[in-house]
CSV table of all heavy atoms in Angstrom, one decimal:
chain,number,residue,atom,x,y,z
Z,193,ARG,N,-15.3,-7.6,-12.1
Z,193,ARG,CA,-16.7,-7.2,-12.3
Z,193,ARG,C,-16.8,-6.0,-13.1
Z,193,ARG,O,-17.7,-5.8,-14.0
Z,193,ARG,CB,-17.4,-7.0,-10.9
Z,193,ARG,CG,-17.6,-8.3,-10.2
Z,193,ARG,CD,-18.4,-8.1,-9.0
Z,193,ARG,NE,-17.8,-7.4,-7.9
Z,193,ARG,CZ,-18.3,-6.5,-7.1
Z,193,ARG,NH1,-19.6,-6.1,-7.3
Z,193,ARG,NH2,-17.6,-5.9,-6.2
Z,194,MET,N,-15.8,-5.1,-13.0
Z,194,MET,CA,-15.8,-3.8,-13.8
Z,194,MET,C,-15.7,-4.2,-15.3
Z,194,MET,O,-16.4,-3.6,-16.1
Z,194,MET,CB,-14.6,-2.9,-13.4
Z,194,MET,CG,-14.8,-2.2,-12.0
Z,194,MET,SD,-13.3,-1.4,-11.5
Z,194,MET,CE,-13.2,0.0,-12.6
Z,195,LEU,N,-14.8,-5.1,-15.6
Z,195,LEU,CA,-14.6,-5.4,-17.0
Z,195,LEU,C,-15.7,-6.2,-17.6
Z,195,LEU,O,-16.1,-6.1,-18.7
Z,195,LEU,CB,-13.2,-6.1,-17.1
Z,195,LEU,CG,-12.1,-5.1,-17.1
Z,195,LEU,CD1,-10.8,-5.7,-16.6
Z,195,LEU,CD2,-11.9,-4.4,-18.4
Z,196,GLU,N,-16.3,-7.1,-16.7
Z,196,GLU,CA,-17.5,-7.8,-17.1
Z,196,GLU,C,-18.6,-6.9,-17.5
Z,196,GLU,O,-19.3,-7.1,-18.5
Z,196,GLU,CB,-17.9,-8.7,-15.9
Z,196,GLU,CG,-18.9,-9.7,-16.2
Z,196,GLU,CD,-18.4,-11.0,-16.8
Z,196,GLU,OE1,-17.4,-11.5,-16.3
Z,196,GLU,OE2,-18.9,-11.5,-17.8
Z,197,THR,N,-18.7,-5.8,-16.7
Z,197,THR,CA,-19.8,-4.8,-17.0
Z,197,THR,C,-19.7,-4.2,-18.3
Z,197,THR,O,-20.7,-3.9,-19.0
Z,197,THR,CB,-19.8,-3.7,-15.9
Z,197,THR,OG1,-19.9,-4.4,-14.6
Z,197,THR,CG2,-20.9,-2.7,-16.0
Z,198,VAL,N,-18.5,-3.9,-18.8
Z,198,VAL,CA,-18.3,-3.3,-20.1
Z,198,VAL,C,-18.1,-4.4,-21.2
Z,198,VAL,O,-17.7,-4.1,-22.4
Z,198,VAL,CB,-17.2,-2.3,-20.2
Z,198,VAL,CG1,-17.5,-1.1,-19.3
Z,198,VAL,CG2,-15.8,-2.9,-19.8
Z,199,GLY,N,-18.4,-5.6,-20.9
Z,199,GLY,CA,-18.4,-6.7,-21.9
Z,199,GLY,C,-17.1,-7.3,-22.2
Z,199,GLY,O,-16.9,-7.9,-23.3
Z,200,HIS,N,-16.1,-7.2,-21.3
Z,200,HIS,CA,-14.8,-7.8,-21.6
Z,200,HIS,C,-14.3,-8.6,-20.4
Z,200,HIS,O,-13.5,-8.2,-19.6
Z,200,HIS,CB,-13.7,-6.7,-21.9
Z,200,HIS,CG,-14.1,-5.9,-23.1
Z,200,HIS,ND1,-13.8,-6.4,-24.4
Z,200,HIS,CD2,-14.7,-4.8,-23.3
Z,200,HIS,CE1,-14.2,-5.5,-25.3
Z,200,HIS,NE2,-14.8,-4.5,-24.6
Z,201,PRO,N,-14.7,-9.9,-20.4
Z,201,PRO,CA,-14.3,-10.7,-19.2
Z,201,PRO,C,-12.8,-10.8,-19.1
Z,201,PRO,O,-12.1,-10.8,-20.1
Z,201,PRO,CB,-14.9,-12.1,-19.6
Z,201,PRO,CG,-15.9,-11.9,-20.6
Z,201,PRO,CD,-15.5,-10.6,-21.3
Z,202,VAL,N,-12.4,-11.0,-17.9
Z,202,VAL,CA,-10.9,-11.1,-17.6
Z,202,VAL,C,-10.4,-12.5,-17.8
Z,202,VAL,O,-11.1,-13.5,-17.4
Z,202,VAL,CB,-10.7,-10.7,-16.1
Z,202,VAL,CG1,-9.2,-11.1,-15.7
Z,202,VAL,CG2,-10.9,-9.2,-15.9
Z,203,ILE,N,-9.3,-12.6,-18.5
Z,203,ILE,CA,-8.7,-13.9,-18.8
Z,203,ILE,C,-7.6,-14.1,-17.8
Z,203,ILE,O,-7.4,-15.2,-17.3
Z,203,ILE,CB,-8.2,-14.0,-20.2
Z,203,ILE,CG1,-9.4,-13.8,-21.2
Z,203,ILE,CG2,-7.5,-15.3,-20.5
Z,203,ILE,CD1,-8.9,-13.6,-22.7
Z,204,LYS,N,-6.9,-13.0,-17.5
Z,204,LYS,CA,-5.7,-13.2,-16.6
Z,204,LYS,C,-5.5,-11.8,-15.9
Z,204,LYS,O,-5.7,-10.8,-16.5
Z,204,LYS,CB,-4.5,-13.5,-17.4
Z,204,LYS,CG,-3.2,-13.7,-16.6
Z,204,LYS,CD,-2.1,-14.2,-17.5
Z,204,LYS,CE,-0.9,-14.5,-16.6
Z,204,LYS,NZ,0.1,-15.2,-17.2
Z,205,LEU,N,-5.2,-11.9,-14.6
Z,205,LEU,CA,-5.1,-10.7,-13.8
Z,205,LEU,C,-3.9,-10.7,-12.9
Z,205,LEU,O,-3.7,-11.7,-12.1
Z,205,LEU,CB,-6.4,-10.5,-13.0
Z,205,LEU,CG,-6.5,-9.2,-12.1
Z,205,LEU,CD1,-8.0,-8.8,-12.1
Z,205,LEU,CD2,-6.0,-9.4,-10.8
Z,206,THR,N,-3.0,-9.7,-13.0
Z,206,THR,CA,-1.8,-9.7,-12.2
Z,206,THR,C,-1.7,-8.3,-11.5
Z,206,THR,O,-1.8,-7.3,-12.2
Z,206,THR,CB,-0.5,-9.8,-13.1
Z,206,THR,OG1,-0.6,-11.0,-13.8
Z,206,THR,CG2,0.7,-9.9,-12.2
Z,207,ARG,N,-1.6,-8.3,-10.2
Z,207,ARG,CA,-1.4,-7.0,-9.5
Z,207,ARG,C,0.1,-6.6,-9.6
Z,207,ARG,O,1.0,-7.4,-9.2
Z,207,ARG,CB,-1.8,-7.0,-8.0
Z,207,ARG,CG,-1.6,-5.7,-7.4
Z,207,ARG,CD,-2.6,-5.4,-6.2
Z,207,ARG,NE,-2.3,-6.4,-5.2
Z,207,ARG,CZ,-3.2,-6.7,-4.3
Z,207,ARG,NH1,-4.4,-6.2,-4.3
Z,207,ARG,NH2,-2.9,-7.6,-3.3
Z,208,VAL,N,0.4,-5.5,-10.2
Z,208,VAL,CA,1.8,-5.1,-10.5
Z,208,VAL,C,2.2,-4.0,-9.5
Z,208,VAL,O,3.4,-3.8,-9.4
Z,208,VAL,CB,2.0,-4.7,-11.9
Z,208,VAL,CG1,1.9,-5.9,-12.8
Z,208,VAL,CG2,1.1,-3.6,-12.4
Z,209,ARG,N,1.3,-3.2,-9.0
Z,209,ARG,CA,1.7,-2.2,-8.1
Z,209,ARG,C,0.7,-2.1,-6.9
Z,209,ARG,O,-0.5,-2.3,-7.1
Z,209,ARG,CB,1.8,-0.8,-8.8
Z,209,ARG,CG,3.1,-0.6,-9.5
Z,209,ARG,CD,3.3,0.8,-9.9
Z,209,ARG,NE,2.3,1.3,-10.9
Z,209,ARG,CZ,2.4,1.1,-12.2
Z,209,ARG,NH1,3.3,0.4,-12.7
Z,209,ARG,NH2,1.4,1.5,-13.0
Z,210,PHE,N,1.2,-1.7,-5.8
Z,210,PHE,CA,0.3,-1.5,-4.6
Z,210,PHE,C,0.9,-0.3,-3.8
Z,210,PHE,O,2.0,-0.4,-3.3
Z,210,PHE,CB,0.4,-2.8,-3.7
Z,210,PHE,CG,-0.5,-2.7,-2.5
Z,210,PHE,CD1,-1.8,-3.2,-2.5
Z,210,PHE,CD2,0.0,-2.1,-1.3
Z,210,PHE,CE1,-2.6,-3.1,-1.4
Z,210,PHE,CE2,-0.8,-2.0,-0.2
Z,210,PHE,CZ,-2.1,-2.5,-0.2
Z,211,GLY,N,0.2,0.8,-3.9
Z,211,GLY,CA,0.7,2.0,-3.3
Z,211,GLY,C,2.0,2.4,-3.9
Z,211,GLY,O,2.1,2.4,-5.1
Z,212,SER,N,3.0,2.5,-3.1
Z,212,SER,CA,4.4,2.9,-3.6
Z,212,SER,C,5.2,1.7,-4.1
Z,212,SER,O,6.3,1.9,-4.5
Z,212,SER,CB,5.1,3.7,-2.5
Z,212,SER,OG,5.0,3.0,-1.3
Z,213,LEU,N,4.6,0.5,-3.9
Z,213,LEU,CA,5.4,-0.7,-4.2
Z,213,LEU,C,5.2,-1.2,-5.6
Z,213,LEU,O,4.1,-1.2,-6.1
Z,213,LEU,CB,5.0,-1.9,-3.3
Z,213,LEU,CG,5.2,-1.6,-1.8
Z,213,LEU,CD1,4.6,-2.8,-1.0
Z,213,LEU,CD2,6.7,-1.4,-1.5
Side-chain angles (χ1 to χ4, degrees):
R193 289 190 289 140
M194 286 169 73
L195 283 154
E196 189 83 49
T197 302
V198 294
H200 296 278
V202 167
I203 298 169
K204 183 172 183 168
L205 184 148
T206 306
R207 182 153 63 203
V208 290
R209 281 194 294 279
F210 182 93
S212 45
L213 301 173

